[in-house]
PDB file of all heavy atoms in Angstrom:
ATOM      1  N   GLY A   1     -54.735  95.525-182.295  1.00 89.00           N
ATOM      2  CA  GLY A   1     -53.791  96.369-183.011  1.00 89.00           C
ATOM      3  C   GLY A   1     -52.893  97.148-182.069  1.00 89.00           C
ATOM      4  O   GLY A   1     -53.184  97.297-180.878  1.00 89.00           O
ATOM      5  N   ASN A   2     -51.826  97.684-182.604  1.00 87.00           N
ATOM      6  CA  ASN A   2     -50.873  98.449-181.786  1.00 87.00           C
ATOM      7  C   ASN A   2     -51.446  99.771-181.305  1.00 87.00           C
ATOM      8  O   ASN A   2     -50.974 100.332-180.314  1.00 87.00           O
ATOM      9  CB  ASN A   2     -49.586  98.702-182.584  1.00 87.00           C
ATOM     10  CG  ASN A   2     -48.838  97.413-182.892  1.00 87.00           C
ATOM     11  OD1 ASN A   2     -48.871  96.469-182.098  1.00 87.00           O
ATOM     12  ND2 ASN A   2     -48.175  97.367-184.042  1.00 87.00           N
ATOM     13  N   ASP A   3     -52.448 100.295-182.009  1.00 89.00           N
ATOM     14  CA  ASP A   3     -53.019 101.592-181.635  1.00 89.00           C
ATOM     15  C   ASP A   3     -54.251 101.464-180.748  1.00 89.00           C
ATOM     16  O   ASP A   3     -54.988 102.426-180.551  1.00 89.00           O
ATOM     17  CB  ASP A   3     -53.367 102.388-182.891  1.00 89.00           C
ATOM     18  CG  ASP A   3     -54.383 101.661-183.775  1.00 89.00           C
ATOM     19  OD1 ASP A   3     -54.677 100.485-183.475  1.00 89.00           O
ATOM     20  OD2 ASP A   3     -54.877 102.267-184.745  1.00 89.00           O
ATOM     21  N   GLY A   4     -54.520 100.253-180.203  1.00 87.00           N
ATOM     22  CA  GLY A   4     -55.641 100.055-179.300  1.00 87.00           C
ATOM     23  C   GLY A   4     -56.895  99.517-179.962  1.00 87.00           C
ATOM     24  O   GLY A   4     -57.854  99.161-179.268  1.00 87.00           O
ATOM     25  N   GLN A   5     -56.930  99.439-181.273  1.00 92.00           N
ATOM     26  CA  GLN A   5     -58.099  98.872-181.942  1.00 92.00           C
ATOM     27  C   GLN A   5     -58.164  97.355-181.719  1.00 92.00           C
ATOM     28  O   GLN A   5     -57.132  96.700-181.574  1.00 92.00           O
ATOM     29  CB  GLN A   5     -58.051  99.151-183.443  1.00 92.00           C
ATOM     30  CG  GLN A   5     -58.132 100.616-183.817  1.00 92.00           C
ATOM     31  CD  GLN A   5     -58.243 100.786-185.322  1.00 92.00           C
ATOM     32  OE1 GLN A   5     -59.310 100.655-185.906  1.00 92.00           O
ATOM     33  NE2 GLN A   5     -57.114 101.079-185.952  1.00 92.00           N
ATOM     34  N   TYR A   6     -59.376  96.827-181.733  1.00 91.00           N
ATOM     35  CA  TYR A   6     -59.513  95.378-181.616  1.00 91.00           C
ATOM     36  C   TYR A   6     -60.793  94.915-182.326  1.00 91.00           C
ATOM     37  O   TYR A   6     -61.742  95.685-182.514  1.00 91.00           O
ATOM     38  CB  TYR A   6     -59.533  94.927-180.151  1.00 91.00           C
ATOM     39  CG  TYR A   6     -60.728  95.417-179.361  1.00 91.00           C
ATOM     40  CD1 TYR A   6     -61.918  94.692-179.321  1.00 91.00           C
ATOM     41  CD2 TYR A   6     -60.661  96.604-178.623  1.00 91.00           C
ATOM     42  CE1 TYR A   6     -63.004  95.125-178.596  1.00 91.00           C
ATOM     43  CE2 TYR A   6     -61.746  97.043-177.894  1.00 91.00           C
ATOM     44  CZ  TYR A   6     -62.913  96.309-177.883  1.00 91.00           C
ATOM     45  OH  TYR A   6     -63.995  96.748-177.169  1.00 91.00           O
ATOM     46  N   VAL A   7     -60.786  93.639-182.698  1.00 93.00           N
ATOM     47  CA  VAL A   7     -61.930  92.988-183.322  1.00 93.00           C
ATOM     48  C   VAL A   7     -62.111  91.624-182.652  1.00 93.00           C
ATOM     49  O   VAL A   7     -61.155  90.860-182.527  1.00 93.00           O
ATOM     50  CB  VAL A   7     -61.737  92.811-184.842  1.00 93.00           C
ATOM     51  CG1 VAL A   7     -62.909  92.011-185.429  1.00 93.00           C
ATOM     52  CG2 VAL A   7     -61.623  94.155-185.531  1.00 93.00           C
ATOM     53  N   ASP A   8     -63.345  91.321-182.230  1.00 91.00           N
ATOM     54  CA  ASP A   8     -63.677  90.014-181.651  1.00 91.00           C
ATOM     55  C   ASP A   8     -64.720  89.331-182.538  1.00 91.00           C
ATOM     56  O   ASP A   8     -65.719  89.949-182.920  1.00 91.00           O
ATOM     57  CB  ASP A   8     -64.264  90.168-180.240  1.00 91.00           C
ATOM     58  CG  ASP A   8     -63.228  90.668-179.236  1.00 91.00           C
ATOM     59  OD1 ASP A   8     -62.036  90.506-179.513  1.00 91.00           O
ATOM     60  OD2 ASP A   8     -63.635  91.210-178.188  1.00 91.00           O
ATOM     61  N   LEU A   9     -64.495  88.058-182.837  1.00 94.00           N
ATOM     62  CA  LEU A   9     -65.408  87.279-183.668  1.00 94.00           C
ATOM     63  C   LEU A   9     -65.766  85.980-182.951  1.00 94.00           C
ATOM     64  O   LEU A   9     -64.894  85.325-182.381  1.00 94.00           O
ATOM     65  CB  LEU A   9     -64.772  86.953-185.027  1.00 94.00           C
ATOM     66  CG  LEU A   9     -64.298  88.139-185.870  1.00 94.00           C
ATOM     67  CD1 LEU A   9     -63.531  87.639-187.090  1.00 94.00           C
ATOM     68  CD2 LEU A   9     -65.476  89.004-186.291  1.00 94.00           C
ATOM     69  N   ILE A  10     -67.053  85.601-182.997  1.00 93.00           N
ATOM     70  CA  ILE A  10     -67.523  84.362-182.362  1.00 93.00           C
ATOM     71  C   ILE A  10     -68.501  83.665-183.308  1.00 93.00           C
ATOM     72  O   ILE A  10     -69.377  84.309-183.894  1.00 93.00           O
ATOM     73  CB  ILE A  10     -68.257  84.633-181.035  1.00 93.00           C
ATOM     74  CG1 ILE A  10     -67.401  85.446-180.069  1.00 93.00           C
ATOM     75  CG2 ILE A  10     -68.684  83.323-180.381  1.00 93.00           C
ATOM     76  CD1 ILE A  10     -68.175  85.931-178.848  1.00 93.00           C
ATOM     77  N   ALA A  11     -68.360  82.357-183.449  1.00 96.00           N
ATOM     78  CA  ALA A  11     -69.342  81.529-184.167  1.00 96.00           C
ATOM     79  C   ALA A  11     -69.694  80.352-183.274  1.00 96.00           C
ATOM     80  O   ALA A  11     -68.807  79.676-182.753  1.00 96.00           O
ATOM     81  CB  ALA A  11     -68.770  81.045-185.500  1.00 96.00           C
ATOM     82  N   LYS A  12     -71.000  80.096-183.089  1.00 96.00           N
ATOM     83  CA  LYS A  12     -71.448  79.028-182.194  1.00 96.00           C
ATOM     84  C   LYS A  12     -72.504  78.159-182.873  1.00 96.00           C
ATOM     85  O   LYS A  12     -73.348  78.654-183.630  1.00 96.00           O
ATOM     86  CB  LYS A  12     -72.030  79.606-180.901  1.00 96.00           C
ATOM     87  CG  LYS A  12     -71.029  80.300-180.014  1.00 96.00           C
ATOM     88  CD  LYS A  12     -71.662  80.733-178.709  1.00 96.00           C
ATOM     89  CE  LYS A  12     -72.044  79.549-177.850  1.00 96.00           C
ATOM     90  NZ  LYS A  12     -72.580  79.960-176.541  1.00 96.00           N
ATOM     91  N   TYR A  13     -72.449  76.881-182.553  1.00 97.00           N
ATOM     92  CA  TYR A  13     -73.439  75.915-183.022  1.00 97.00           C
ATOM     93  C   TYR A  13     -73.965  75.187-181.793  1.00 97.00           C
ATOM     94  O   TYR A  13     -73.185  74.604-181.030  1.00 97.00           O
ATOM     95  CB  TYR A  13     -72.794  74.942-184.001  1.00 97.00           C
ATOM     96  CG  TYR A  13     -73.767  74.118-184.799  1.00 97.00           C
ATOM     97  CD1 TYR A  13     -74.848  74.711-185.449  1.00 97.00           C
ATOM     98  CD2 TYR A  13     -73.609  72.741-184.920  1.00 97.00           C
ATOM     99  CE1 TYR A  13     -75.738  73.957-186.194  1.00 97.00           C
ATOM    100  CE2 TYR A  13     -74.495  71.971-185.675  1.00 97.00           C
ATOM    101  CZ  TYR A  13     -75.556  72.598-186.307  1.00 97.00           C
ATOM    102  OH  TYR A  13     -76.433  71.845-187.048  1.00 97.00           O
ATOM    103  N   THR A  14     -75.288  75.221-181.583  1.00 97.00           N
ATOM    104  CA  THR A  14     -75.870  74.787-180.314  1.00 97.00           C
ATOM    105  C   THR A  14     -76.978  73.764-180.532  1.00 97.00           C
ATOM    106  O   THR A  14     -77.818  73.910-181.423  1.00 97.00           O
ATOM    107  CB  THR A  14     -76.456  75.996-179.549  1.00 97.00           C
ATOM    108  OG1 THR A  14     -75.450  77.000-179.400  1.00 97.00           O
ATOM    109  CG2 THR A  14     -76.951  75.572-178.180  1.00 97.00           C
ATOM    110  N   ARG A  15     -76.977  72.749-179.694  1.00 97.00           N
ATOM    111  CA  ARG A  15     -78.055  71.762-179.636  1.00 97.00           C
ATOM    112  C   ARG A  15     -78.967  72.142-178.489  1.00 97.00           C
ATOM    113  O   ARG A  15     -78.541  72.187-177.318  1.00 97.00           O
ATOM    114  CB  ARG A  15     -77.469  70.365-179.397  1.00 97.00           C
ATOM    115  CG  ARG A  15     -78.494  69.254-179.204  1.00 97.00           C
ATOM    116  CD  ARG A  15     -79.231  68.916-180.459  1.00 97.00           C
ATOM    117  NE  ARG A  15     -79.842  67.588-180.397  1.00 97.00           N
ATOM    118  CZ  ARG A  15     -80.666  67.113-181.331  1.00 97.00           C
ATOM    119  NH1 ARG A  15     -80.946  67.849-182.385  1.00 97.00           N
ATOM    120  NH2 ARG A  15     -81.178  65.901-181.215  1.00 97.00           N
ATOM    121  N   LEU A  16     -80.247  72.423-178.776  1.00 97.00           N
ATOM    122  CA  LEU A  16     -81.214  72.837-177.770  1.00 97.00           C
ATOM    123  C   LEU A  16     -82.161  71.680-177.473  1.00 97.00           C
ATOM    124  O   LEU A  16     -82.691  71.045-178.391  1.00 97.00           O
ATOM    125  CB  LEU A  16     -82.031  74.040-178.240  1.00 97.00           C
ATOM    126  CG  LEU A  16     -81.315  75.374-178.450  1.00 97.00           C
ATOM    127  CD1 LEU A  16     -80.662  75.452-179.814  1.00 97.00           C
ATOM    128  CD2 LEU A  16     -82.296  76.538-178.300  1.00 97.00           C
ATOM    129  N   GLU A  17     -82.392  71.426-176.184  1.00 97.00           N
ATOM    130  CA  GLU A  17     -83.333  70.396-175.739  1.00 97.00           C
ATOM    131  C   GLU A  17     -84.336  71.026-174.779  1.00 97.00           C
ATOM    132  O   GLU A  17     -83.958  71.809-173.904  1.00 97.00           O
ATOM    133  CB  GLU A  17     -82.595  69.250-175.039  1.00 97.00           C
ATOM    134  CG  GLU A  17     -81.555  68.561-175.906  1.00 97.00           C
ATOM    135  CD  GLU A  17     -80.851  67.428-175.175  1.00 97.00           C
ATOM    136  OE1 GLU A  17     -81.496  66.793-174.322  1.00 97.00           O
ATOM    137  OE2 GLU A  17     -79.661  67.199-175.444  1.00 97.00           O
ATOM    138  N   ASN A  18     -85.600  70.660-174.955  1.00 97.00           N
ATOM    139  CA  ASN A  18     -86.667  71.251-174.152  1.00 97.00           C
ATOM    140  C   ASN A  18     -87.669  70.164-173.773  1.00 97.00           C
ATOM    141  O   ASN A  18     -88.249  69.507-174.635  1.00 97.00           O
ATOM    142  CB  ASN A  18     -87.365  72.363-174.945  1.00 97.00           C
ATOM    143  CG  ASN A  18     -88.177  73.295-174.071  1.00 97.00           C
ATOM    144  OD1 ASN A  18     -88.667  72.896-173.025  1.00 97.00           O
ATOM    145  ND2 ASN A  18     -88.323  74.533-174.513  1.00 97.00           N
ATOM    146  N   ASP A  19     -87.861  69.964-172.486  1.00 97.00           N
ATOM    147  CA  ASP A  19     -88.811  68.970-171.958  1.00 97.00           C
ATOM    148  C   ASP A  19     -89.742  69.718-171.006  1.00 97.00           C
ATOM    149  O   ASP A  19     -89.301  70.212-169.969  1.00 97.00           O
ATOM    150  CB  ASP A  19     -88.052  67.858-171.241  1.00 97.00           C
ATOM    151  CG  ASP A  19     -88.963  66.725-170.785  1.00 97.00           C
ATOM    152  OD1 ASP A  19     -90.192  66.837-170.989  1.00 97.00           O
ATOM    153  OD2 ASP A  19     -88.455  65.753-170.200  1.00 97.00           O
ATOM    154  N   TYR A  20     -91.032  69.815-171.346  1.00 96.00           N
ATOM    155  CA  TYR A  20     -91.927  70.650-170.539  1.00 96.00           C
ATOM    156  C   TYR A  20     -93.243  69.945-170.225  1.00 96.00           C
ATOM    157  O   TYR A  20     -93.649  68.994-170.890  1.00 96.00           O
ATOM    158  CB  TYR A  20     -92.202  71.983-171.250  1.00 96.00           C
ATOM    159  CG  TYR A  20     -92.950  71.875-172.562  1.00 96.00           C
ATOM    160  CD1 TYR A  20     -94.338  71.800-172.602  1.00 96.00           C
ATOM    161  CD2 TYR A  20     -92.263  71.870-173.775  1.00 96.00           C
ATOM    162  CE1 TYR A  20     -95.027  71.717-173.794  1.00 96.00           C
ATOM    163  CE2 TYR A  20     -92.940  71.788-174.980  1.00 96.00           C
ATOM    164  CZ  TYR A  20     -94.322  71.714-174.985  1.00 96.00           C
ATOM    165  OH  TYR A  20     -95.000  71.623-176.182  1.00 96.00           O
ATOM    166  N   ASP A  21     -93.902  70.459-169.177  1.00 96.00           N
ATOM    167  CA  ASP A  21     -95.221  69.999-168.755  1.00 96.00           C
ATOM    168  C   ASP A  21     -96.114  71.209-168.530  1.00 96.00           C
ATOM    169  O   ASP A  21     -95.661  72.247-168.031  1.00 96.00           O
ATOM    170  CB  ASP A  21     -95.139  69.187-167.459  1.00 96.00           C
ATOM    171  CG  ASP A  21     -94.339  67.900-167.636  1.00 96.00           C
ATOM    172  OD1 ASP A  21     -94.753  67.057-168.433  1.00 96.00           O
ATOM    173  OD2 ASP A  21     -93.283  67.770-166.984  1.00 96.00           O
ATOM    174  N   VAL A  22     -97.387  71.067-168.879  1.00 94.00           N
ATOM    175  CA  VAL A  22     -98.374  72.130-168.722  1.00 94.00           C
ATOM    176  C   VAL A  22     -99.629  71.535-168.086  1.00 94.00           C
ATOM    177  O   VAL A  22     -99.968  70.383-168.354  1.00 94.00           O
ATOM    178  CB  VAL A  22     -98.754  72.764-170.080  1.00 94.00           C
ATOM    179  CG1 VAL A  22     -99.661  73.971-169.876  1.00 94.00           C
ATOM    180  CG2 VAL A  22     -97.520  73.162-170.868  1.00 94.00           C
ATOM    181  N   ALA A  23    -100.316  72.321-167.263  1.00 92.00           N
ATOM    182  CA  ALA A  23    -101.612  71.905-166.711  1.00 92.00           C
ATOM    183  C   ALA A  23    -102.572  73.083-166.802  1.00 92.00           C
ATOM    184  O   ALA A  23    -102.157  74.246-166.735  1.00 92.00           O
ATOM    185  CB  ALA A  23    -101.453  71.457-165.262  1.00 92.00           C
ATOM    186  N   ASN A  24    -103.861  72.796-166.977  1.00 90.00           N
ATOM    187  CA  ASN A  24    -104.850  73.870-166.979  1.00 90.00           C
ATOM    188  C   ASN A  24    -105.730  73.774-165.735  1.00 90.00           C
ATOM    189  O   ASN A  24    -105.589  72.857-164.925  1.00 90.00           O
ATOM    190  CB  ASN A  24    -105.680  73.868-168.270  1.00 90.00           C
ATOM    191  CG  ASN A  24    -106.496  72.598-168.447  1.00 90.00           C
ATOM    192  OD1 ASN A  24    -106.739  71.852-167.507  1.00 90.00           O
ATOM    193  ND2 ASN A  24    -106.931  72.346-169.676  1.00 90.00           N
ATOM    194  N   VAL A  25    -106.646  74.715-165.589  1.00 88.00           N
ATOM    195  CA  VAL A  25    -107.455  74.791-164.363  1.00 88.00           C
ATOM    196  C   VAL A  25    -108.444  73.636-164.261  1.00 88.00           C
ATOM    197  O   VAL A  25    -109.015  73.404-163.206  1.00 88.00           O
ATOM    198  CB  VAL A  25    -108.210  76.133-164.289  1.00 88.00           C
ATOM    199  CG1 VAL A  25    -107.240  77.290-164.166  1.00 88.00           C
ATOM    200  CG2 VAL A  25    -109.123  76.310-165.495  1.00 88.00           C
ATOM    201  N   TYR A  26    -108.647  72.903-165.357  1.00 85.00           N
ATOM    202  CA  TYR A  26    -109.576  71.775-165.334  1.00 85.00           C
ATOM    203  C   TYR A  26    -108.885  70.483-164.941  1.00 85.00           C
ATOM    204  O   TYR A  26    -109.504  69.426-164.922  1.00 85.00           O
ATOM    205  CB  TYR A  26    -110.224  71.615-166.710  1.00 85.00           C
ATOM    206  CG  TYR A  26    -110.809  72.896-167.244  1.00 85.00           C
ATOM    207  CD1 TYR A  26    -110.189  73.575-168.289  1.00 85.00           C
ATOM    208  CD2 TYR A  26    -111.950  73.452-166.682  1.00 85.00           C
ATOM    209  CE1 TYR A  26    -110.712  74.769-168.771  1.00 85.00           C
ATOM    210  CE2 TYR A  26    -112.473  74.644-167.159  1.00 85.00           C
ATOM    211  CZ  TYR A  26    -111.846  75.300-168.204  1.00 85.00           C
ATOM    212  OH  TYR A  26    -112.356  76.476-168.664  1.00 85.00           O
ATOM    213  N   GLY A  27    -107.573  70.560-164.645  1.00 88.00           N
ATOM    214  CA  GLY A  27    -106.843  69.387-164.211  1.00 88.00           C
ATOM    215  C   GLY A  27    -106.224  68.565-165.320  1.00 88.00           C
ATOM    216  O   GLY A  27    -105.604  67.539-165.059  1.00 88.00           O
ATOM    217  N   HIS A  28    -106.368  69.001-166.570  1.00 92.00           N
ATOM    218  CA  HIS A  28    -105.767  68.272-167.687  1.00 92.00           C
ATOM    219  C   HIS A  28    -104.294  68.649-167.828  1.00 92.00           C
ATOM    220  O   HIS A  28    -103.878  69.745-167.455  1.00 92.00           O
ATOM    221  CB  HIS A  28    -106.508  68.578-168.986  1.00 92.00           C
ATOM    222  CG  HIS A  28    -107.856  67.942-169.053  1.00 92.00           C
ATOM    223  ND1 HIS A  28    -108.025  66.591-169.188  1.00 92.00           N
ATOM    224  CD2 HIS A  28    -109.094  68.484-168.986  1.00 92.00           C
ATOM    225  CE1 HIS A  28    -109.322  66.313-169.230  1.00 92.00           C
ATOM    226  NE2 HIS A  28    -109.990  67.448-169.089  1.00 92.00           N
TER     227      HIS A  28
END
């Protein structure tokens, strides 16, 4: 706006991918 006011708008759509490995103290 002319008086210094402002508005910001954001819309996002995201594809999430997760590839993980876990080990325990017994070696599994």
